[in-house]
Amino acid sequence: MKILNWYVTRGFLLAFFMAIGILTFGMTGSNLVKVLDYVSQGISFFTFFEFTLYILPIILTFTVPWAVMVAVMLVFGRLSADSEITAMRACGVSILQIVSPILIITFFLMLFCLYLQVEVGPPLLGKSRTLMQTAAINQPLAIFEPGKQIEFENTIIYIDDKEGEDGIKGVQIYTLSDPQTVAQDISAERGKLLVDKEKQLLIVRLFDCLVVDKKGAAEQQQDGEAGMPTRFFTQQLEFSFNYGKQANERRISTKAKYMKLTDLMGKIRLTKQLERDTTELEVELNQRIAFALSPIAFLLLGLPLAIRTSRRETSVGLFLSVILAGVFFLSIILCESLSSFPHLYPQYLLWLPNIIFQILGAVMTYRISQR
């Protein structure tokens, strides 16, 4: 029996580690596209690797359950196709005995995912966002992209191109007197970006500028007069923005998705004491636990499907695992999107994918064991 268990376990572990490597690489890569763009513009590779380490725990909470599903589909699909499961059962070995080592491994993987979801992942995810904000400000060209709108306080900036380490070309700046009124329209052939890290100031220095002052014209129109914008040319113009103040304002409160479990539960209790709605916070809490318990659900459903399909081709197992994982994750994300509708109780709907997968898997496994 030990030899049999080791045979099944070895196949599962090999498939699992291959799957988790590929899936984690793929999901990490999709999150690193923007960071690689920053690296090409001067941000250090150390920041790149630090960001990767910060987002890895949360990514693993998705890829570990998915890798369990892939490994189960591949291993037990092959065992069934080769009639090895039939031979084992003919020798008096039950389905439960065959899969028992995998159940134990999956249980510990579930505990690992739970630890990542409630303790490690959320705070590190918050650090990854802060890291990129800080890195982008320390390297100004990283946040200035051609054709992209950059906003600081009451100012909107566009650029056509970048040159060198701190140069910008084809600059267009709009200063606003209110959210819908342009006070000044400034065009410059070129400019330079400077950072005063001590004072936390971002300085935009422009050269050869054409300034169109619309504020006076707007005031004349309010008085019933036909006002015209004032135009003038200047060789140099400078703007400074207190990026430190904006960054500190963003960090005053931590979002629920970046809190540890104890902090999140404390916030829920405090919000209830203030007699405010806690649906969004409860959705976040239940979502984490539901994701963490998903390896068991994926195992229970993947096992009977793999035995029933009885195919050696990896493409069939991979296709089914992608479909099932997609349905599971999308169902939870859909329930999460209902957090603004507390009367639908989305914090409890989140558990439906887990419950359905586990019940279906248990029923199908029982039927197979009775054949």
Side-chain angles (χ1 to χ4, degrees):
M1 192 63 197
K2 289 182 180 179
I3 296 175
L4 179 61
N5 283 342
W6 172 241
Y7 174 71
V8 176
T9 303
R10 183 181 59 185
F12 173 82
L13 290 176
L14 286 173
F16 173 78
F17 284 117
M18 288 180 61
I20 200 171
I22 295 170
L23 293 171
T24 302
F25 177 79
M27 292 191 71
T28 303
S30 65
N31 284 274
L32 294 179
V33 174
K34 185 67 174 179
V35 187
L36 287 171
D37 187 40
Y38 285 167
V39 169
S40 69
Q41 298 173 41
I43 287 180
S44 68
F45 271 102
F46 176 77
T47 302
F48 168 78
F49 288 117
E50 193 175 0
F51 177 84
T52 305
L53 290 175
Y54 283 160
I55 65 172
L56 192 57
I58 286 295
I59 289 176
L60 285 174
T61 61
F62 286 88
T63 58
V64 167
W66 198 348
V68 168
M69 170 77 78
V70 171
V72 166
M73 295 294 295
L74 294 181
V75 171
F76 284 90
R78 181 185 60 80
L79 290 175
S80 180
D82 291 342
S83 300
E84 292 183 72
I85 291 181
T86 303
M88 293 177 195
R89 295 186 64 193
C91 295
V93 181
S94 67
I95 292 291
L96 182 60
Q97 288 175 303
I98 297 171
V99 80
S100 57
I102 313 302
L103 279 171
I104 295 171
I105 293 171
T106 305
F107 175 76
F108 283 107
L109 289 174
M110 180 196 71
L111 294 180
F112 175 66
C113 289
L114 186 62
Y115 176 69
L116 292 181
Q117 278 283 10
V118 304
E119 189 69 21
V120 178
L124 290 182
L125 186 63
K127 282 187 178 182
S128 72
R129 300 295 180 261
T130 304
L131 175 69
M132 293 316 303
Q133 290 170 0
T134 304
I137 289 297
N138 289 336
Q139 183 64 37
L141 277 180
I143 60 173
F144 280 77
E145 297 181 15
K148 179 183 176 182
Q149 175 177 304
I150 301 105
E151 293 187 31
F152 286 104
E153 300 168 358
N154 62 335
T155 306
I156 300 174
I157 306 173
Y158 294 91
I159 65 169
D160 288 339
D161 202 359
K162 297 173 287 188
E163 58 179 359
E165 294 184 358
D166 56 4
I168 50 178
K169 296 170 65 177
V171 187
Q172 192 78 33
I173 295 181
Y174 301 98
T175 60
L176 309 177
S177 55
D178 61 65
Q180 296 182 341
T181 306
V182 177
Q184 285 186 326
D185 180 354
I186 303 165
S187 304
E189 292 185 6
R190 59 192 179 89
K192 193 173 184 180
L193 300 172
L194 306 169
V195 175
D196 187 336
K197 294 184 181 179
E198 250 182 64
K199 298 180 180 178
Q200 293 188 317
L201 290 177
L202 173 65
I203 300 167
V204 181
R205 185 174 295 163
L206 304 178
F207 306 97
D208 304 325
C209 311
L210 174 64
V211 181
V212 180
D213 192 344
K214 300 181 179 182
K215 187 175 180 181
E219 291 175 351
Q220 290 178 0
Q221 287 178 353
Q222 289 177 357
D223 294 334
E225 301 177 12
M228 293 293 293
T230 304
R231 299 172 181 267
F232 62 91
F233 179 83
T234 180
Q235 290 186 338
Q236 185 172 312
L237 198 60
E238 191 171 283
F239 293 84
S240 62
F241 306 99
N242 189 336
Y243 70 83
K245 179 183 176 183
Q246 291 184 337
N248 291 332
E249 285 176 351
R250 285 195 294 265
R251 295 171 192 161
I252 288 175
S253 60
T254 304
K255 291 183 179 179
K257 66 186 294 186
Y258 303 143
M259 291 181 178
K260 292 183 179 181
L261 179 66
T262 51
D263 298 332
L264 183 58
M265 293 180 70
K267 187 170 183 178
I268 291 174
R269 284 196 298 268
L270 179 60
T271 306
K272 284 182 177 179
Q273 289 174 4
L274 296 173
E275 298 183 352
R276 296 176 183 172
D277 182 53
T278 60
T279 302
E280 188 174 345
L281 297 173
E282 291 180 26
V283 165
E284 175 65 27
L285 175 63
N286 283 274
Q287 181 199 44
R288 292 186 191 183
I289 300 174
F291 271 132
L293 299 182
S294 59
I296 295 293
F298 280 19
L299 172 64
L300 290 177
L301 186 59
L303 174 65
L305 284 176
I307 295 174
R308 282 180 177 275
T309 52
S310 302
R311 301 295 295 271
R312 291 181 56 88
E313 296 89 345
T314 57
S315 56
V316 176
L318 290 174
F319 176 75
L320 286 174
S321 63
V322 168
I323 295 297
L324 292 173
V327 169
F328 184 90
F329 292 136
L330 286 175
S331 299
I332 290 186
I333 292 170
L334 178 62
C335 293
E336 183 192 12
S337 67
L338 299 175
S339 58
S340 55
F341 302 94
H343 60 281
L344 296 177
Y345 299 101
Q347 64 269 45
Y348 304 122
L349 290 177
L350 281 166
W351 289 100
L352 283 179
N354 259 306
I355 293 171
I356 292 172
F357 271 46
Q358 291 187 23
I359 291 176
L360 283 176
V363 170
M364 291 172 67
T365 302
Y366 175 76
R367 288 182 177 178
I368 289 173
S369 66
Q370 295 301 308
R371 288 191 308 182

